[in-house]
Amino acid sequence: MSTSVRAMALSFDDHTMWVELDDGRSLGIPLAWFPRLMQATAEQRNAFRISPSGNGLHWPDLDEDISVEGLIAGRGDRTAVGPKAA
């Protein structure tokens, strides 16, 4: 899947990450999909960068990278966080 839609703005409420796209859509993404963001402080969540292309979201202090394409496709975090279940 390839998309030319770009992220223009990003904000948070208590349970949701809101991504404003350049085509007029707003995506509401549950923070539960991204454990690092869910566990982060509001200050850490707000220390993000939108890539120059608008295709990626990055939190340097949290080592979190999220693609706009993945969000549109409905994909959450695919990495393990914390101990693995036995």
Side-chain angles (χ1 to χ4, degrees), residues 57-74:
L57 310 172
H58 179 63
W59 289 261
D61 295 339
L62 299 174
D63 193 28
E64 182 73 80
D65 293 287
I66 299 173
S67 74
V68 172
E69 181 179 334
L71 294 176
I72 291 170

Side-chain angles (χ1 to χ4, degrees), residues 34-56:
F34 296 96
R36 283 186 203 94
L37 293 179
M38 188 170 67
Q39 296 169 6
T41 65
E43 182 177 281
Q44 289 172 315
R45 285 185 199 136
N46 286 315
F48 64 86
R49 292 186 209 147
I50 298 174
S51 68
S53 68
N55 295 321

